[in-house]
Amino acid sequence: MKRFLISLPVMAVLASGCQDPDKNPPSNGGSTPELPAELTVQWQPIDNSVGSWKFFRSEFTLENKGPRELGNKGWKLYFSIIRRALNEGEGDETGIQNLTAQGLKLSKGDAAGSGDYYVLEPLPDFKPLAVGDKRVISVLFQDWAILKTDAPAGFHITFEGEGFDPKVAFAVQSTVKIDPNDPKQTTRWEGDVMPVQNPALRYDENPSQQDLDLAGRLLPTPRTVEAGAGQVTLRGGTVIGYPSALKNEAAYLSSALGDVLAGTVSTQVASGNEQISLSIDANLDIDGDGARDAEGYVLDVKDGKVAIKGADAAGVFYGIQTLRQLVPVEAYTAAAQIAQRRPELTLPEVHISDKPGFVYRGMALDVARHFQTKETVKKLLDVLAHYKINKFHFRLTDDEGWRLEIPGIPELTSYGARRGFDPAESEMLHAGLGSSNDLGGDDFVSLKPGSQKLANGNETWPVFQGFETATLNFVGKGSGFYTTKDFEEILAYATERHIDVIPEVDVPGHARAAVMAMEYRYRKYKDSDPTKATEYRLRDPQDTSKHKSVQEYTDNFLNPCMDSTYAFLTKVANELKARYDAVPGARLMAIHGGGDELPNPASNVWWTDSPLCKSNAETKNLTDTQLFNHFFTKWSQIIQKTGTKMTGWDDIIHYGLQLDGFIPMPWSNVWGWGREDDAYKYANQGYQVILSHSTNLYMDLAYNKDPDEPGYYWANFVDEKKTFEYRPFDIYANATHDRMGNPLAPSAMEGKVRLTEVGRKNILGMHGLLFGENLKSEGVLEYLAFPKMLGVAERAWNPELPPVSEMPALWGRFTNSLGQYVLPRLGAYRAVDLRDEIPNGVGVNYRIPLPGARIIDGKLNANVRYPGFAVEYSTNGGSSWKVYSAPVPVSGKVLLRTRASDGRYSRVAELN
């Protein structure tokens, strides 16, 4: 079998002591002595079935390539892995963790023993590894590993003595392989019946090509589309007329048309003679029920003119987005090169009337685990606006990073926004999730690859159409933050596109970056200014409570019994409010207060061993869950004092707390875990609810069971079919299989709460959620978000669905729309950039699906998930490729790939 390998050569410096010119200089700025050894490490999961499926066996194969032996002291190899290493002696009859016998010790890599950071080091009886020798080390980890993103990452090594600075580590490059045909590597446990993706499965699932009417070419689908027989042509010199209230929308449309049309497009206050007119009808009633339809619009293209009328400015803006989608695909693909813009655009005559089904149509982005630049966020916002998304849930804080400057508390970003090699965490957070400060310096990791190509093994530049080796080799912004100016720019950009930004401050768990930053602040001021030192402290230093989060953190809680905790939260909330106040038109709809994933109180102690909790008159007699409720009562009051509402994960109300005005986001609906109906319970009780279900809406989950698909899979595998077929008002219809691929009987959801008519009205909407553990580049972000987010956009605008029996036809129409119209435009998409804020803003790295294929009667039969995309095949190992058009005789190994209209390719699939 092919093995799951991680090759980790330590990049030795030249004998003269000069550094490799392709590597970054030492982060501490000093010279580097010759490294003692060029070490290669291979990591390989051997068998997921050991330990009664509770843990898996892996092997580290160490190879010494010289120049000297690797001895029994003086080196430490650090890395991150999301799986917990079993303790020494832990296991059962099929396997025991026994590193001592192998002369090694594996432990947490940081002084706090908290998180995903590990270190492997020799014991005195470790047999030195001679030059040219290899040694296999057996290590057990909890659960299983079936995707390459499960692999350890961010390897770095330290050496003692010989002039080495103990504060500087040296990067160790890595690769990974998994054999998709080995069930020991791809089966999670004996109940996992989900097949690994292959060409035959895809061939059987892929839809056939079909012609689409005009409505089928638009996304989200408008409610009424009446196509005419003629056309309207736009040329240079086009004028857009607008009333004063729509000046911004007119400017946006002018810029958008200018990106695809050669010649001038100007705007003016409406006189009645313009070719394009924008207007507002405050009483616009799309569905005829006698009530105004907010965000609704009417678009008319006829008699040589274009008219967009909205119930409000947002409605006009959405009419503009539909108008942009009427522009021929070919015009967009040509305009990807600005000099190739068409001199005229021909639009079909049409009458469209439309309105959204949900008032909340959103996307959540986590920038705490891996930072994304403001340019990346702005480009994303513009793409989201194009598909009529109107809410952006911005997850700014978590254990691994705090990403927003808070005036008056500089330590939150000077310390809490930095990761690197600092096991004592005296200056920054320890490296985590396999990354520190990307490929740059200032993180005490030297000799990192100097480019993404080098990080990728120096073979090819990563294209992020699936897993890339570079993501194991320090690619990923573990450090970074938004200044107040940056954040205000993002707010202004979103507001211009009718998107409300909802900032998240996740507390009291998931708060390690803040807690550690405030400990750093305490150390900085404790001698010179004790009052300042404790002003915002978040931890009781005498607290002996023991708990461990899902992510292995043991010290990531705010203490709910300290006045300084609430002083901190008040300061943060007020500074958030100040950012919105500084941006005209920006609306602080809500602050997300976090609240998720405190470990099970039955086996963890949250705060009841805190002396400060025991001595506080308000809290001394409270249990942990009562302390939790006490905390959120006060946190909600702090948020409400800013003039807005609190939203948050539904965990906040799991322990009986009733919060007026609270907007829960129920997420943990994994089929069979018991919380499938939480969202409907809350809606029926009177809460306004934002659907956030992990089974269908968590876009950071891998597309499918393929080792090369990046992402997690704890709740489900999630692709664009999961988002498109999601049923907001009957999620149980989506419960067809459990997360291991086993069919679920309809009776599995019997007894679950159903939505009442009142509850149905309390569903504000839904969003796609993209958590950031694996978002190590803009390319990965876009790959995981698109086309999944397109399914979210369609369903949030049109939440009503036909009977399940009619869904295959609807899915076929959707995939044809993606292949023939939507994705070709997205591949050439140019962000509407009125102020030159987004360099290189053309094209989105959406996922290109692998082809489906079977050999039938000796002939290759192939198809594709999005009809309209091209399939190419090779019978000579990839030396040359042919376009597939009809069944063709083949023999031996056949390689296949999908080509998108923008010239990009999917990964290569192999068919034997």
Side-chain angles (χ1 to χ4, degrees):
M1 68 178 182
K2 292 183 180 178
R3 298 202 166 195
F4 184 30
L5 303 179
I6 298 182
S7 178
L8 308 167
V10 176
M11 307 305 295
V13 293
L14 302 178
S16 64
C18 298
Q19 296 171 54
D20 185 328
D22 287 332
K23 303 297 169 186
N24 287 330
S27 297
N28 65 346
S31 60
T32 306
E34 180 183 12
L35 301 187
E38 183 182 342
L39 183 68
T40 298
V41 181
Q42 295 178 333
W43 184 78
Q44 174 186 350
I46 300 298
D47 190 353
N48 281 319
S49 71
V50 300
S52 299
W53 307 96
K54 295 177 182 178
F55 55 85
F56 66 95
R57 184 182 302 282
S58 71
E59 292 179 353
F60 288 75
T61 302
L62 279 64
E63 179 180 5
N64 183 6
K65 295 186 175 181
R68 287 175 278 171
E69 72 174 15
L70 187 71
N72 62 358
K73 63 180 179 179
W75 59 269
K76 295 181 179 181
L77 182 64
Y78 294 84
F79 58 90
S80 297
I81 185 169
I82 61 170
R83 299 290 184 251
R84 181 183 71 85
L86 269 61
N87 298 320
E88 190 72 1
E90 185 181 358
D92 62 13
E93 68 278 2
T94 65
I96 299 291
Q97 188 79 295
N98 192 357
L99 284 160
T100 302
Q102 303 171 77
L104 288 164
K105 175 185 177 183
L106 181 64
S107 57
K108 292 290 187 177
D110 63 318
S114 183
D116 68 344
Y117 192 45
Y118 285 88
V119 60
L120 185 70
E121 55 188 307
L123 296 173
D125 57 350
F126 175 77
K127 182 181 178 182
L129 188 62
V131 174
D133 281 357
K134 297 180 181 180
R135 185 167 308 148
V136 174
I137 307 299
S138 178
V139 185
L140 304 179
F141 289 94
Q142 187 174 313
D143 297 325
W144 42 69
I146 64 171
L147 301 187
K148 292 179 180 178
T149 44
D150 292 329
F155 284 82
H156 47 290
I157 196 167
T158 62
F159 297 101
E160 295 178 3
E162 302 186 35
F164 287 99
D165 185 342
K167 293 184 178 180
V168 177
F170 303 96
V172 176
Q173 198 157 359
S174 62
T175 59
V176 59
K177 295 179 181 178
I178 293 182
D179 181 1
N181 299 310
D182 182 357
K184 289 186 177 181
Q185 296 186 37
T186 59
T187 304
R188 286 165 281 184
W189 70 296
E190 58 192 0
D192 180 7
V193 301
M194 184 175 292
V196 177
Q197 280 286 306
N198 60 49
L201 283 175
R202 292 190 290 269
Y203 182 81
D204 293 343
E205 293 173 354
N206 287 340
S208 58
Q209 185 155 353
Q210 59 181 268
D211 294 330
L212 297 173
D213 58 13
L214 183 55
R217 306 173 189 180
L218 307 175
L219 194 152
T221 309
R223 296 187 178 272
T224 300
V225 178
E226 299 172 359
Q231 296 176 329
V232 172
T233 301
L234 303 180
R235 300 182 177 87
T238 294
V239 178
I240 302 168
Y242 65 90
S244 58
L246 296 175
K247 181 178 180 179
N248 291 337
E249 287 68 30
Y252 182 95
L253 177 57
S254 174
S255 179
L257 289 178
D259 286 338
V260 71
L261 176 65
T264 61
V265 180
S266 60
T267 66
Q268 66 183 35
V269 175
S271 65
N273 296 319
E274 299 83 10
Q275 189 177 16
I276 300 177
S277 65
L278 309 180
S279 64
I280 290 178
D281 177 356
N283 297 311
L284 187 64
D285 178 10
I286 298 298
D287 55 14
D289 65 356
R292 170 181 175 271
D293 288 314
E295 299 182 288
Y297 68 92
V298 173
L299 168 63
D300 282 300
V301 182
K302 63 180 180 181
D303 300 331
K305 293 188 175 184
V306 175
I308 301 174
K309 178 170 58 180
D312 43 34
V316 172
F317 184 77
Y318 299 136
I320 287 171
Q321 302 306 335
T322 302
L323 173 64
R324 294 175 67 199
Q325 293 185 22
L326 294 177
V327 173
V329 169
E330 297 76 16
Y332 281 107
T333 55
Q337 301 294 324
I338 200 70
Q340 302 300 316
R341 289 175 298 169
R342 300 284 177 86
E344 61 181 40
L345 302 174
T346 302
L347 310 177
E349 283 194 345
V350 67
H351 170 80
I352 296 174
S353 60
D354 199 11
K355 68 163 193 171
F358 280 142
V359 299
Y360 191 108
R361 308 178 302 280
M363 176 177 170
L365 177 66
D366 167 17
V367 296
R369 272 60 176 269
H370 283 99
F371 181 69
Q372 306 296 332
T373 66
K374 65 180 179 182
E375 292 80 13
T376 296
V377 173
K378 288 176 181 178
K379 177 186 172 185
L380 176 64
L381 286 168
D382 193 72
V383 176
L384 295 176
H386 185 54
Y387 299 108
K388 304 181 175 69
I389 295 300
N390 68 348
K391 300 291 185 286
F392 186 64
H393 168 184
F394 208 6
R395 187 176 173 88
L396 296 164
T397 75
D398 211 298
D399 296 319
E400 296 85 3
W402 181 284
R403 304 304 183 189
L404 179 61
E405 177 187 15
I406 300 296
I409 318 181
E411 297 81 10
L412 279 172
T413 48
S414 67
Y415 180 101
R418 295 176 62 203
R419 293 209 296 261
F421 177 66
D422 188 355
E425 297 181 290
S426 59
E427 298 181 43
M428 65 186 77
L429 299 170
H430 64 67
L433 298 169
S435 62
S436 51
N437 192 30
D438 202 61
L439 298 181
D442 194 35
D443 60 5
F444 300 109
V445 181
S446 185
L447 303 185
K448 284 187 290 187
S451 69
Q452 287 195 357
K453 181 181 178 184
L454 288 170
N456 219 33
N458 202 25
E459 296 180 0
T460 59
W461 287 90
V463 296
F464 300 108
Q465 278 296 311
F467 176 84
E468 293 280 9
T469 299
T471 60
L472 299 182
N473 295 315
F474 291 94
V475 168
K477 296 179 177 63
S479 300
F481 68 94
Y482 306 109
T483 66
T484 56
K485 183 176 182 295
D486 292 337
F487 192 70
E488 288 168 9
E489 281 185 24
I490 291 170
L491 289 180
Y493 195 89
T495 299
E496 190 172 55
R497 287 154 181 76
H498 295 276
I499 294 176
D500 292 323
V501 177
I502 300 165
E504 178 179 356
V505 178
D506 198 358
V507 287
H510 279 287
R512 191 171 192 267
V515 170
M516 296 297 286
M518 293 305 92
E519 289 302 292
Y520 171 75
R521 178 184 172 96
Y522 172 79
R523 294 192 301 271
K524 184 167 71 170
Y525 290 115
K526 66 183 177 64
D527 296 325
S528 62
D529 191 341
T531 299
K532 196 170 187 177
T534 59
E535 180 182 15
Y536 298 124
R537 200 172 190 187
L538 303 173
R539 173 191 293 169
D540 175 358
Q542 305 303 317
D543 190 356
T544 59
S545 303
K546 300 293 184 184
H547 49 255
K548 183 180 291 185
S549 75
V550 174
Q551 294 81 12
E552 290 283 302
Y553 289 105
T554 58
D555 52 2
N556 66 339
F557 284 9
L558 276 63
N559 189 291
C561 309
M562 300 165 59
D563 291 342
S564 53
T565 292
Y566 302 106
F568 173 83
L569 293 173
T570 298
K571 174 66 172 174
V572 169
N574 288 340
E575 290 296 340
L576 281 171
K577 179 64 163 54
R579 303 287 74 75
Y580 287 77
D581 289 344
V583 177
R587 184 171 74 119
L588 183 56
M589 172 196 163
I591 292 176
H592 191 297
D596 62 321
E597 288 196 319
L598 271 69
N600 191 330
S603 54
N604 293 272
V605 178
W606 295 350
W607 302 288
T608 51
D609 288 339
S610 162
L612 290 178
C613 286
K614 292 177 181 179
S615 63
N616 185 321
E618 280 190 296
T619 63
K620 63 181 180 180
N621 295 318
L622 300 183
T623 65
D624 271 327
T625 54
Q626 289 170 333
L627 287 168
F628 182 87
N629 289 351
H630 168 79
F631 172 82
F632 275 105
T633 298
K634 299 190 76 166
W635 182 208
S636 176
Q637 291 168 352
I638 289 169
I639 289 173
Q640 289 178 29
K641 285 180 181 178
T642 67
T644 192
K645 294 182 178 181
M646 178 194 233
T647 185
W649 307 115
D650 65 303
D651 308 48
I652 291 171
I653 52 177
H654 282 182
Y655 304 104
L657 181 62
Q658 295 184 358
L659 284 176
D660 290 340
F662 175 63
I663 304 171
M665 292 184 178
W667 59 277
S668 184
N669 73 313
V670 181
W671 312 128
W673 281 15
R675 304 205 73 102
E676 299 89 344
D677 55 0
D678 279 2
Y680 295 169
K681 287 180 182 177
Y682 304 140
N684 291 349
Q685 290 169 11
Y687 285 104
Q688 292 188 310
V689 170
I690 298 166
L691 299 171
S692 311
H693 287 138
S694 54
T695 54
N696 288 70
L697 300 176
Y698 270 34
M699 302 186 301
D700 60 297
L701 301 181
Y703 277 89
N704 54 48
K705 191 179 180 182
D706 178 337
D708 278 300
E709 286 295 344
Y712 290 161
Y713 47 94
W714 61 269
N716 213 345
F717 290 95
V718 173
D719 60 9
E720 71 280 14
K721 189 175 186 182
K722 287 283 198 313
T723 58
F724 176 78
E725 293 188 344
Y726 176 69
R727 290 180 173 262
F729 303 122
D730 183 14
I731 61 169
Y732 311 120
N734 296 127
T736 58
H737 294 77
D738 67 17
R739 66 188 184 126
M740 298 293 171
N742 298 284
L744 289 173
S747 60
M749 295 297 139
E750 285 182 2
K752 295 296 180 182
V753 172
R754 308 284 165 161
L755 270 177
T756 64
E757 284 303 311
V758 171
R760 187 184 181 99
K761 294 176 182 177
N762 284 327
I763 302 295
L764 284 181
M766 55 182 279
H767 54 172
L769 301 99
L770 188 56
F771 291 91
E773 291 92 336
N774 291 302
L775 301 189
K776 295 184 176 181
S777 77
E778 181 181 15
V780 178
L781 186 161
E782 293 181 349
Y783 178 91
L784 285 171
F786 297 99
K788 296 180 194 181
M789 195 60 210
L790 303 180
V792 175
E794 176 66 27
R795 198 52 54 236
W797 192 267
N798 296 301
E800 299 285 359
L801 281 171
V804 172
S805 61
E806 297 179 22
M807 289 306 296
L810 199 62
W811 168 245
R813 174 185 166 101
F814 180 68
T815 54
N816 272 269
S817 180
L818 293 183
Q820 297 178 48
Y821 298 97
V822 177
L823 293 178
R825 281 195 297 261
L826 192 59
Y829 189 89
R830 186 182 298 274
V832 181
D833 193 8
L834 283 75
R835 292 174 294 278
D836 297 324
E837 298 176 75
I838 310 176
N840 305 316
V842 180
V844 172
N845 186 50
Y846 61 81
R847 179 180 184 268
I848 304 168
L850 280 69
R854 282 188 179 276
I855 303 296
I856 302 174
D857 297 330
K859 293 184 177 181
L860 172 66
N861 287 253
N863 60 15
V864 68
R865 188 176 182 94
Y866 308 141
F869 281 23
V871 174
E872 297 182 351
Y873 69 98
S874 173
T875 55
N876 56 14
S879 296
S880 61
W881 294 84
K882 299 177 182 178
V883 176
Y884 174 87
S885 57
V888 57
V890 294
S891 61
K893 183 173 70 175
V894 180
L895 301 181
L896 300 110
R897 65 187 185 185
T898 304
R899 188 184 74 233
S901 59
D902 57 15
R904 296 179 304 121
Y905 291 95
S906 71
R907 303 193 303 276
V908 173
E910 181 177 318
L911 181 67
N912 290 307

